[in-house]
């Protein structure tokens, strides 16, 4: 008996592989619009960074901007606020970490690590307990025991460096990434 050779198996295998490849490309082409719609919109990308003008802010005053859908607290601290913040022992704080996006994660919550320039404190104004917006303390309307911010919803109190001092909040107020463009202008994000 003579052996016969046939290419039928290899042609069939080729057809299976080619059909599978075409189906894979087609599925990817159909799925791409659904995957692409998950990218941030142009409006969200525009909010990714913002520039803040600081020239009109007086010592002891806070201004609020919107950044990434959250309030951004920009506070010009007085020399007394800076001194009281520097006097705090980091080891006595409920959260000893700086939570500063400009520094390594393990940076301690010293006043120097919370404010790049001592006079200016820039924070994301969202309480780390349940996401409420804390109220700023001013000499005209003192809030809390530490002269910083008070979250009225559950009583979390932050000092003049935005560090949690009392209440249920587990972390200090977050510090966003920012750079000073000039003496009176800062870019956040």
């Amino acid at each position: 008996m003579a052996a016969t050779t046939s290419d039928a198996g290899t042609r069939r295998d080729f057809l299976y592989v080619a059909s599978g490849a075409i189906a894979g490309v087609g599925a990817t082409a159909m799925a791409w619009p659904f995957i692409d719609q998950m990218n941030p919109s142009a409006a969200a990308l525009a909010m990714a960074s913002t520039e803040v003008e600081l020239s009109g802010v007086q010592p002891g005053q806070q201004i609020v901007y919107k950044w990434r859908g959250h309030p951004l607290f920009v506070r010009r601290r007085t020399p007394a606020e800076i001194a009281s913040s520097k006097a705090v022992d980091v080891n006595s704080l409920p959260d000893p970490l700086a939570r500063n996006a400009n520094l390594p994660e393990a940076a301690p919550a010293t006043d120097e690590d919370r404010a790049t320039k001592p006079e200016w404190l820039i924070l994301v104004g969202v309480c780390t307990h349940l996401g409420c917006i804390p109220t700023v303390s001013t000499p005209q309307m003192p809030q809390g025991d530490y002269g910083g911010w008070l979250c009225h919803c559950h009583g979390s109190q932050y000092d003049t460096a935005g560090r949690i001092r009392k209440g249920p909040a587990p972390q200090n107020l977050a510090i966003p990434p920012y750079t000073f463009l000039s003496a009176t202008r800062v870019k956040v994000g």
Side-chain angles (χ1 to χ4, degrees), residues 31-41 44:
W32 180 251
F34 298 109
I35 294 168
D36 188 47
Q37 63 90 23
M38 290 186 236
N39 285 329
S41 68

Side-chain angles (χ1 to χ4, degrees), residues 66-78:
K66 187 174 183 181
W67 178 69
R68 293 186 179 173
H70 297 294
L72 180 72
F73 295 164
V74 179
R75 183 171 181 160
R76 186 172 183 185
R77 301 187 301 171
T78 64

Side-chain angles (χ1 to χ4, degrees), residues 101-161:
N102 303 298
L103 299 173
E105 287 185 27
T110 61
D111 187 67
E112 293 81 13
D113 285 346
R114 298 283 295 162
T116 304
K117 292 186 177 182
E119 186 178 18
W120 297 103
L121 184 65
I122 301 170
L123 305 166
V124 177
V126 176
C127 180
T128 59
H129 179 235
L130 291 177
C132 305
I133 299 174
T135 306
V136 66
S137 181
T138 62
Q140 298 80 14
M141 293 186 65
Q143 303 286 325
D145 301 333
Y146 301 97
W149 292 266
L150 170 67
C151 183
H152 289 279
C153 300
H154 301 100
S156 295
Q157 296 185 33
Y158 300 90
D159 65 8
T160 56

